[in-house]
Amino acid sequence: MLKSKVIMVKTRSGKILKIVREHYLRDDIDNGLFGGKLEQHPELQNDLVPSEHFLIPDTNVVLHQMDVLEHSCIMNVIMLQTVLHEVKHRSSPVYKRIKLLCANPDKKFFVFTNEHCIDTYSARVKGESTNDMNDRLIRIAAKYYDKCLKDRNQTAVLVTNDRANCAFAKKDGLNALTIEQYVKNIVGYPELLDKLAKADEAIEVDKSISYPEHLKLSQVQAGVKSGRFFQGKLGISRENYLEGKIITHGEDGKEILIQGRLNLNRAVHEDVVAVEMLPEDQWSNPSGVILDVTVQPGAEIADAEKKKSTGVPTGKVVGIIKRSWRPYCGILESFGSPEMTRHLFTPAEKRIPRIRIETRQAKTLIGQRIVVAIDSWPRFSKYPQGHFVKALGSVGDKDTENEVLLLEHDVAHEPFSEAVLNCLPPSDWSIPNQEFAVREDFRDLPICSVDPPGCTDIDDCLHHKDLGDGTVEVGVHIADVTHFIRPGTPIDNEAATRGTTVYLCDKRIDMVPELLSSNLCSLRDDGDRLAFSCIWIMKPNSEIVSTRFCKSVIRSKSSMTYAQAQMQIDDKTANDPVTMGLRGLNKLAKILKRARIEKGALSLSSPEVRFHVDSETHDPIDLQNKELRDTNSMVEEFMLLANCSVAKKIQQEFPECAVLRRHPEPPQSNFDVFLNAAKSRGLELNAATSRDLAVSLDRTEEPKEGIHSYISTLLRILATRCMMQAVYFCSGLESDFRHYGLAAPIYTHFTSPIRRYSDIMVHRLLAASIGADKTFSELLNKTEIQNVCKNLNFRHRMAQYAQRASVGLHTQLFFRSKVVNESGYVIFVRKNAIQVLIPKYGLEGTVFMDRDFEGNTTVNADDLKYIEDKCEITVRGVKLCVFDEVTVQISHDATNVQHQRINLKLVYPKITGISIPSSV
Amino acid sequence: FELISDEGYRFDGRKPSELRRVRCNMGVFTQADGSAYIEQGNTKVLAAIYGPHEASNNMRSRVCLDKCFINCEFSQAMFSSAERKKRSRGDRKGKDMSAHIKQTFEAAVRTQLYPRSQIDIYLQVLHSDGSLYCACVNAATLALIDAGIAMKDYVCACSASLTKETSLIDINHVEELAGCAEFSAAIMPKLDQIIYSELNGRIHQDELGQLVDAVTNGCKDIFAVIDRFEVITDNTEIAVSPRSLHS
């Protein structure tokens, strides 16, 4: 069965190495034909290949035409090992996609290990390049299949866009087609043509532009090594898509500015590029000119002009090290005749250039959100070339816009796969008897849950019991998700990639399937549930006597909303155990909170709104600020306590691999603008430590002459923006554990395993440390944990952005048919504008001071007086300071379909020519 | 970096539980009392046995009254790996390897039959492509048999590694470089005893059983190969061993 063939590989790394590897040839490799895996599907009909056939694509077809291959009508494809290997080396995203396709039983993709099959192996011919050899191997495999299939009256079709390869194949008597030929002749799927990526030579030369050639990768690498070039990820400016910067690698990561189409040289946002510095006399400044017509110049100009005299390091792109193109959402530009096939596509992301695509469906696609992928960017084409991937729906439609914001934030939102759903317990699952043997039975305790209204994924419950000896027992019970999600299963992998449940205004994108999130794991008051409990014995002064963790079975006595719980606490007549418990908890929580604030925990604020949604159209009809009651902070306090206790425990048991959460202390410079603004209004704040900040923020609550009472909240909102992001990390790889905002020495997330994967990891660690569950290798592998944490941090950030975008979208929908006057507060003063926050709608926007309410620039520079230190601006004699109360008119601006937005116009104070005349 | 494809093949085309090709030969030196040559894939090792004989002068201190002692020397040829490298005989890796092989055979040779004497095991690696220890042990077993030294049983060694919950046996150099934990063991297949085991890298406790099973099976496969081989050399009609050519 084993035959041995030795191949020689020569590599060069200083010295010449001779590497000899074994290569076994086998006669037992499944070609899929007789194992019954490859079955012809009669539906796929092609005019060029009338008989039943199988496709054998070559590497370039797979690399460039994934969108075609992914189409549901393309089936019966034989993927050769040679092709897969090459794809893996050249593009890992494509490799991942093709692997998914191969794993999908409906697509009938079959992987043939051709290089180890004795019938299809061939040694390298002397002098043959790797590419040529791979092409030859592909042809040999195609021939082999052709022979095998002849008996079955079927054919193998080699799909290649390489002319030489095609010619060779024809000489060998093979059926070889280009992907265009094949796709054009498929019966019944005309839309497939749009998905074709264009080959380079097919692209029209644009005389008007000629980009400099990119250097070869080897030259780039040599240049980076010698220090002549700088390597970094390109970040395009939000205001100007022809301007970007990179932050160079290395300890003193410096910023290099890149300006202009030619200097950017076809690099797209987020590509890793090599940059060469321009001579110092050509150094320039961020322009501040905003190229996108829809966004009006804001305060950024001011910052730019200041630096004009010096000039910042400026460079030009000489080579692309790694492309990070992804499919982009956007719209087709409406000009041009719909009959034409060439069109320009404008991505929703402003930092991405427009993309040229070819489509025959322009008529239907105009006015729709579509997804387009970039194929290439030739030297003589002003815009990159791409192809149409799919249409999402019409612009402005809420479902479409939701879809767009999910796609743009890389939130996985497709339904759970079959493999994942197979991991679920049956829907009538009930707690098996053996669980009672290994768990503590807390079903008699007065356990209840308190959550926001409409919450169906309840992950936490509480109880409080007086022990009668001067101590009380307090328990936090968390849904035992890890009982259902076992490590290494498809459902676990899916949850780990999703990382978090994403809450949009009208939609929840679950991390785990609904059966778990809203039923079996959700601690509702309709039956017994499995829980992971954290039990403290506490003295009435909240001093903890002992802490204990255990797996348990609980029965929640009541699922309440914050308001209901508050009412029960306040209701003097209610004296049942649950209410008594709530009162006890509330009392303890207040003590805990005071102690925490004493230590320097910050209580910050962000304007949060909740939309009331029409039950039928799901359009927002009203919105309301989230109210904060005692019960909110009661639940929060005990969750924090549980998280801290668990963090201590797992760090103790697994000092090398505990999953923790830390909040780095922000550098003082983050506070500069904020402190200055406060100072301009006579408020002395101190941000040296979190405690100082908390104390000085509290001091602003005292009423002060000349300042409205909302100032304290405003300051808290602004302080939040000076903070750093809190992140998950693996304790074995970091030394700083502190959580700045909570002023806790160690912290983790334990209390929401239904909606956060980090909590699932923490549950597993905790279960292992109390002997309730086994450990496994991934759980104790530092690098593995750090990798998962990295993904979680990314997903959390994306979820947050998506959430904000969703609020933005709903605000727009809300104001679509309304014009409202509302009071707001100035939070920043810029050279030509003020930034206004409207707390009622959680809305923030710019009001320009150099143009009238219709957007025409009317005010010249003399009328504008801007004093930076004092954060004030005087326009035509009217002075506006930071934190001033103003009245603005809010309206919806739909002049640009792509970027619809909210417009703010000044109503009060009245400034001639700027504010809206009262008659309008 | 995938050590094993979704179709279930390793880099070189083997399945996870398959050995590389094993070829061996006995009696390759005329001068030695016993000798053998083994190829496990591209790992090629020569073994020579001298003894049992009276302890040489410089080893007098190690003589035992009730049994013989085993002296093992391991060396690796300059050209044995991809990069030419001059290796001194006493380098750390060589010393460790010698010590491990010595221990292994002290457990398997009936040393009490040869009191006050010495047995030398010389091992020379001609080509190294992973699982060096295992090839050395297997070669030494054959050479000891060739020398007619009494042993409790054959000693067969095999290595294994773990990836994606599958254990791969008989690890080659590329797989060693992938950085997974490597487990090697020497067993006496007929007695079903493990006499040596070694783990490089970290694995989870729960995975150990699986690795031990894989290695045990690998060792038994190796036993089947070298046992059969021995039968053939005994048969004078077929065997054209180098020894008979030389004599």
Side-chain angles (χ1 to χ4, degrees):
Chain A
M1 187 172 70
L2 290 177
K3 290 207 170 190
S4 164
K5 202 91 188 178
V6 176
I7 54 162
M8 315 271 269
V9 184
K10 278 183 189 166
T11 59
R12 208 178 285 254
S13 65
K15 293 174 190 169
I16 292 174
L17 302 181
K18 187 169 108 188
I19 296 166
V20 183
R21 285 191 191 141
E22 284 179 291
H23 189 94
Y24 289 94
L25 299 183
R26 317 180 61 111
D27 55 9
D28 64 342
I29 286 187
D30 188 7
N31 61 14
L33 292 176
F34 305 105
K37 285 177 200 140
L38 270 182
E39 268 172 50
Q40 180 60 40
H41 208 70
E43 274 171 35
L44 185 80
Q45 293 206 348
N46 194 303
D47 289 343
L48 281 184
V49 267
S51 67
E52 298 181 347
H53 61 276
F54 295 95
L55 295 181
I56 304 180
D58 79 352
T59 315
N60 281 316
V61 168
V62 175
L63 277 174
H64 301 302
Q65 311 286 358
M66 271 311 285
D67 286 315
V68 174
L69 292 178
E70 277 171 350
H71 191 278
S72 64
C73 82
I74 301 281
M75 279 196 269
N76 305 301
V77 175
I78 297 159
M79 286 308 307
L80 302 179
Q81 173 200 17
T82 313
V83 174
L84 277 181
H85 271 221
E86 231 183 325
V87 169
K88 186 177 172 186
H89 279 294
R90 306 227 335 236
S91 164
S92 74
V94 174
Y95 182 68
K96 272 185 204 145
R97 283 164 77 184
I98 192 80
K99 287 297 261 191
L100 270 181
L101 278 188
C102 294
N104 180 352
D106 296 337
K107 292 287 290 178
K108 300 200 190 299
F109 274 48
F110 180 80
V111 180
F112 178 50
T113 314
N114 63 315
E115 286 180 36
H116 288 292
C117 176
I118 192 156
D119 299 313
T120 52
Y121 173 75
S122 171
R124 185 189 290 258
V125 177
K126 210 168 176 202
E128 190 180 37
S129 73
T130 312
N131 263 336
D132 289 345
M133 184 177 79
N134 286 341
D135 284 347
R136 197 161 53 82
L137 283 174
I138 294 168
R139 288 199 302 274
I140 291 172
K143 221 160 155 185
Y144 164 77
Y145 267 103
D146 209 42
K147 212 172 82 199
C148 292
L149 288 166
K150 216 156 234 158
D151 309 338
R152 305 179 13 168
N153 258 336
Q154 293 168 334
T155 49
V157 178
L158 178 66
V159 186
T160 173
N161 280 3
D162 184 292
R163 286 215 189 93
N165 197 9
C166 216
F168 275 124
K170 291 226 166 95
K171 219 162 72 191
D172 289 353
L174 281 172
N175 205 343
L177 295 174
T178 64
I179 185 88
E180 284 87 5
Q181 286 172 327
Y182 183 76
V183 166
K184 270 182 194 148
N185 291 288
I186 290 179
V187 180
Y189 294 95
E191 77 271 20
L192 210 52
L193 263 182
D194 286 354
K195 294 187 185 251
L196 272 177
K198 286 280 157 310
D200 270 2
E201 58 261 40
I203 287 161
E204 211 169 87
V205 173
D206 187 345
K207 294 261 161 40
S208 67
I209 195 151
S210 151
Y211 290 104
E213 207 155 347
H214 286 151
L215 296 180
K216 285 203 193 84
L217 197 59
S218 55
Q219 288 171 296
V220 167
Q221 277 162 348
V224 169
K225 215 170 176 183
S226 69
R228 201 154 66 86
F229 301 150
F230 298 92
Q231 180 180 343
K233 195 185 235 184
L234 178 71
I236 298 283
S237 147
R238 271 174 209 281
E239 283 83 27
N240 182 344
Y241 75 96
L242 290 180
E243 184 177 296
K245 63 181 181 202
I246 67 160
I247 294 174
T248 57
H249 285 264
E251 61 270 27
D252 55 335
K254 59 176 168 185
E255 251 180 48
I256 302 176
L257 178 75
I258 304 158
Q259 258 179 344
R261 227 181 267 281
L262 290 181
N263 283 340
L264 279 170
N265 195 4
R266 295 170 279 157
V268 178
H269 180 57
E270 295 219 302
D271 284 350
V272 179
V273 295
V275 171
E276 186 178 28
M277 284 291 211
L278 291 173
E280 212 157 314
D281 55 316
Q282 290 179 35
W283 283 9
S284 132
N285 278 296
S287 65
V289 175
I290 290 163
L291 284 200
D292 193 325
V293 286
T294 57
V295 181
Q296 290 160 344
E300 282 71 19
I301 301 173
D303 302 330
E305 278 171 359
K306 247 188 292 168
K307 291 185 214 136
K308 189 139 258 173
S309 50
T310 49
V312 296
T314 309
K316 62 175 183 194
V317 174
V318 291
I320 308 271
I321 293 161
K322 194 167 165 273
R323 291 285 192 192
S324 45
W325 292 343
R326 58 179 176 91
Y328 301 101
C329 299
I331 54 165
L332 218 52
E333 270 185 24
S334 47
F335 42 79
S337 140
E339 272 71 46
M340 276 177 20
T341 56
R342 286 166 188 277
H343 294 271
L344 267 183
F345 161 86
T346 314
E349 168 68 84
K350 284 177 238 155
R351 293 184 280 193
I352 304 296
R354 286 183 285 180
I355 302 168
R356 183 165 284 156
I357 64 165
E358 219 171 281
T359 174
R360 284 150 198 82
Q361 314 169 54
K363 230 184 227 164
T364 50
L365 292 185
I366 280 182
Q368 290 211 45
R369 291 270 182 199
I370 61 172
V371 179
V372 161
I374 304 185
D375 300 324
S376 64
W377 197 339
R379 273 183 67 199
F380 299 105
S381 162
K382 192 168 180 183
Y383 299 114
Q385 307 281 340
H387 65 269
F388 165 74
V389 178
K390 62 177 172 190
L392 299 174
S394 54
V395 176
D397 179 62
K398 201 165 56 115
D399 289 337
T400 314
E401 300 296 338
N402 261 343
E403 178 89 12
V404 169
L405 75 89
L406 290 175
L407 281 173
E408 285 291 303
H409 293 102
D410 201 11
V411 176
H413 58 287
E414 57 278 1
F416 288 99
S417 70
E418 201 60 33
V420 171
L421 295 176
N422 284 341
C423 301
L424 291 176
S427 53
D428 57 348
W429 182 90
S430 62
I431 301 173
N433 280 333
Q434 70 262 25
E435 287 300 323
F436 289 99
V438 294
R439 288 168 184 269
E440 294 200 35
D441 192 344
F442 289 148
R443 283 177 292 175
D444 298 330
L445 291 176
I447 294 172
C448 63
S449 66
V450 186
D451 284 285
C455 176
T456 57
D457 49 348
I458 303 171
D459 14 39
D460 47 78
C461 280
L462 293 159
H463 89 267
H464 172 280
K465 201 172 88 178
D466 203 333
L467 294 181
D469 58 352
T471 58
V472 290
E473 180 187 84
V474 175
V476 165
H477 310 272
I478 307 298
D480 192 10
V481 179
T482 52
H483 179 83
F484 300 98
I485 299 184
R486 303 306 300 166
T489 52
I491 195 169
D492 181 50
N493 295 337
E494 181 72 25
T497 21
R498 292 195 180 207
T500 172
T501 294
V502 181
Y503 295 87
L504 303 185
C505 293
D506 54 341
K507 208 172 166 181
R508 185 178 86 198
I509 290 100
D510 279 324
M511 180 180 83
V512 296
E514 199 178 355
L515 175 65
L516 291 183
S517 67
S518 313
N519 187 358
L520 298 184
C521 288
S522 179
L523 304 175
R524 303 194 301 206
D525 55 358
D526 60 355
D528 297 349
R529 291 287 190 281
L530 299 180
F532 205 153
S533 303
C534 174
I535 312 283
W536 300 279
I537 309 287
M538 288 173 133
K539 290 194 182 148
N541 64 356
S542 91
E543 188 190 323
I544 297 172
V545 180
S546 71
T547 311
R548 180 164 76 90
F549 306 98
C550 63
K551 295 253 179 171
S552 60
V553 183
I554 61 161
R555 180 181 289 157
S556 171
K557 300 285 171 293
S558 166
S559 300
M560 286 174 277
T561 64
Y562 291 121
Q564 283 169 341
Q566 190 65 55
M567 261 158 56
Q568 280 212 25
I569 291 177
D570 297 340
D571 182 2
K572 294 257 159 42
T573 58
N575 278 315
D576 54 295
V578 172
T579 315
M580 299 289 280
L582 282 175
R583 284 188 194 129
L585 288 170
N586 202 15
K587 211 155 73 190
L588 277 173
K590 281 183 179 156
I591 304 172
L592 283 170
K593 186 167 187 183
R594 209 176 312 130
R596 214 160 50 78
I597 287 171
E598 221 31 36
K599 270 195 277 172
L602 295 171
S603 57
L604 299 173
S605 171
S606 58
E608 274 188 86
V609 290
R610 168 180 287 274
F611 286 90
H612 287 280
V613 176
D614 186 299
S615 56
E616 270 168 28
T617 61
H618 295 288
D619 281 339
I621 43 179
D622 192 10
L623 81 188
Q624 177 189 26
N625 274 45
K626 279 184 187 158
E627 265 184 80
L628 284 180
R629 294 187 179 79
D630 266 4
T631 42
N632 287 53
S633 81
M634 172 188 92
V635 174
E636 191 194 339
E637 224 40 66
F638 283 103
M639 294 307 132
L640 290 177
L641 190 63
N643 286 338
C644 290
S645 297
V646 170
K648 255 180 250 158
K649 174 78 177 171
I650 59 172
Q651 154 69 10
Q652 211 171 43
E653 295 284 327
F654 299 102
E656 285 293 296
C657 49
V659 178
L660 301 177
R661 186 167 173 85
R662 103 193 125 104
H663 185 203
E665 182 169 345
Q668 277 304 308
S669 58
N670 277 21
F671 291 109
D672 288 350
V673 177
F674 166 65
L675 293 181
N676 190 35
K679 202 173 165 190
S680 72
R681 299 305 300 267
L683 295 164
E684 283 295 335
L685 293 183
N686 181 356
T689 65
S690 62
R691 198 181 134 72
D692 291 339
L693 183 61
V695 168
S696 54
L697 278 175
D698 285 343
R699 227 181 288 135
T700 61
E701 305 228 336
E702 298 156 14
K704 206 171 166 212
E705 206 168 320
I707 299 180
H708 48 82
S709 58
Y710 195 69
I711 184 90
S712 176
T713 318
L714 267 185
L715 285 170
R716 286 178 204 275
I717 291 170
L718 291 183
T720 316
R721 302 187 183 177
C722 306
M723 298 296 155
M724 311 280 282
Q725 280 267 349
V727 287
Y728 297 109
F729 68 102
C730 170
S731 62
L733 295 170
E734 307 263 353
S735 53
D736 176 24
F737 292 178
R738 272 186 59 78
H739 195 290
Y740 175 81
L742 297 171
I746 186 168
Y747 190 69
T748 193
H749 272 163
F750 166 74
T751 51
S752 300
I754 300 180
R755 57 187 181 87
R756 288 190 304 234
Y757 190 74
S758 49
D759 302 51
I760 291 187
M761 291 164 70
V762 170
H763 272 231
R764 286 181 181 151
L765 286 166
L766 187 65
S769 68
I770 60 166
D773 209 339
K774 278 198 292 189
T775 59
F776 51 98
S777 56
E778 284 81 14
L779 188 72
L780 304 177
N781 183 337
K782 276 193 272 191
T783 38
E784 194 102 338
I785 294 176
Q786 195 68 356
N787 283 341
V788 179
C789 286
K790 239 168 142 181
N791 178 49
L792 293 182
N793 291 331
F794 170 74
R795 294 290 166 199
H796 275 274
R797 208 165 51 238
M798 281 305 164
Q800 236 171 40
Y801 293 160
Q803 221 160 318
R804 263 182 236 164
S806 174
V807 170
L809 173 67
H810 276 74
T811 319
Q812 278 185 22
L813 291 175
F814 182 72
F815 285 109
R816 200 185 258 172
S817 50
K818 293 189 191 61
V819 177
V820 184
N821 284 356
E822 191 56 58
S823 74
Y825 300 94
V826 178
I827 52 171
F828 292 111
V829 178
R830 308 286 198 201
K831 201 169 182 184
N832 64 342
I834 53 171
Q835 197 88 7
V836 176
L837 175 83
I838 299 134
K840 181 170 176 195
Y841 300 115
L843 184 69
E844 196 184 315
T846 311
V847 179
F848 290 95
M849 290 291 130
D850 56 356
R851 63 196 66 171
D852 64 13
F853 59 93
E854 277 165 337
N856 308 314
T857 311
T858 52
V859 183
N860 44 31
D862 308 338
D863 290 339
L864 269 176
K865 224 170 78 197
Y866 170 63
I867 307 169
E868 196 187 354
D869 301 347
K870 288 189 170 173
C871 299
E872 60 177 50
I873 188 166
T874 314
V875 193
R876 292 193 174 140
V878 181
K879 194 168 90 175
L880 280 167
C881 294
V882 73
F883 305 132
D884 271 354
E885 192 170 354
V886 291
T887 305
V888 287
Q889 184 184 74
I890 311 166
S891 60
H892 180 240
D893 174 12
T895 42
N896 184 309
V897 195
Q898 176 88 340
H899 300 293
Q900 304 190 5
R901 54 203 202 90
I902 298 286
N903 254 351
L904 296 185
K905 292 165 191 167
L906 194 64
V907 177
Y908 179 84
K910 286 202 186 312
I911 305 173
T912 349
I914 292 176
S915 62
I916 301 179
S918 42
S919 56
V920 176
Chain B
F1 198 65
E2 291 167 331
L3 281 182
I4 169 167
S5 72
D6 287 350
E7 291 66 50
Y9 296 105
R10 294 153 72 170
F11 279 135
D12 53 7
R14 282 185 289 160
K15 287 188 175 161
S17 61
E18 282 173 353
L19 295 174
R20 293 176 285 179
R21 181 180 63 170
V22 181
R23 292 204 298 194
C24 39
N25 215 339
M26 282 163 78
V28 288
F29 297 130
T30 45
Q31 203 186 16
D33 293 312
S35 58
Y37 168 71
I38 196 163
E39 274 181 20
Q40 288 186 245
N42 280 334
T43 300
K44 296 167 187 171
V45 179
L46 272 172
I49 305 291
Y50 291 88
H53 57 79
E54 193 185 344
S56 43
N57 283 333
N58 53 349
M59 305 239 180
R60 280 283 147 78
S61 57
R62 288 167 64 186
V63 172
C64 303
L65 292 180
D66 55 341
K67 56 181 183 184
C68 70
F69 75 91
I70 291 173
N71 170 44
C72 178
E73 274 179 40
F74 166 92
S75 63
Q76 213 169 341
M78 228 162 85
F79 49 80
S80 62
S81 53
E83 199 177 346
R84 259 177 183 268
K85 208 194 245 170
K86 185 130 180 65
R87 293 165 211 268
S88 60
R89 187 163 279 216
D91 66 347
R92 210 186 99 89
K93 192 183 159 202
K95 274 192 168 159
D96 280 357
M97 188 70 93
S98 303
H100 293 161
I101 294 167
K102 175 173 165 279
Q103 278 169 22
T104 312
F105 284 99
E106 272 170 353
V109 171
R110 293 183 176 277
T111 48
Q112 67 280 13
L113 293 181
Y114 313 105
R116 285 192 293 269
S117 43
Q118 169 184 1
I119 295 172
D120 296 313
I121 304 175
Y122 291 101
L123 292 159
Q124 171 78 34
V125 177
L126 299 178
H127 194 163
S128 103
D129 187 20
S131 302
L132 262 190
Y133 166 82
C134 307
C136 287
V137 167
N138 297 332
T141 304
L142 286 173
L144 284 167
I145 293 168
D146 190 41
I149 289 170
M151 301 213 291
K152 292 176 193 152
D153 190 1
Y154 285 72
V155 185
C156 299
C158 183
S159 60
S161 179
L162 204 69
T163 178
K164 284 198 252 167
E165 305 193 338
T166 316
S167 29
L168 310 176
I169 67 162
D170 199 6
I171 306 303
N172 68 22
H173 187 56
V174 182
E175 289 163 337
E176 268 179 359
L177 285 183
C180 304
E182 184 184 350
F183 180 73
S184 317
I187 69 164
M188 296 201 281
K190 284 183 181 163
L191 299 175
D192 221 5
Q193 282 178 0
I194 295 180
I195 53 177
Y196 172 87
S197 71
E198 181 191 4
L199 177 68
N200 284 320
R202 275 164 59 117
I203 56 163
H204 194 267
Q205 187 183 335
D206 297 350
E207 294 166 337
L208 187 64
Q210 190 191 349
L211 268 183
V212 172
D213 288 348
V215 164
T216 313
N217 287 333
C219 290
K220 288 189 173 156
D221 289 345
I222 285 187
F223 170 68
V225 176
I226 60 180
D227 189 39
R228 192 183 59 214
F229 171 78
E230 212 239 341
V231 174
I232 294 171
T233 42
D234 277 353
N235 188 333
T236 42
E237 276 178 51
I238 304 169
V240 193
S241 73
R243 174 176 277 190
S244 58
L245 285 177
H246 286 296
S247 54

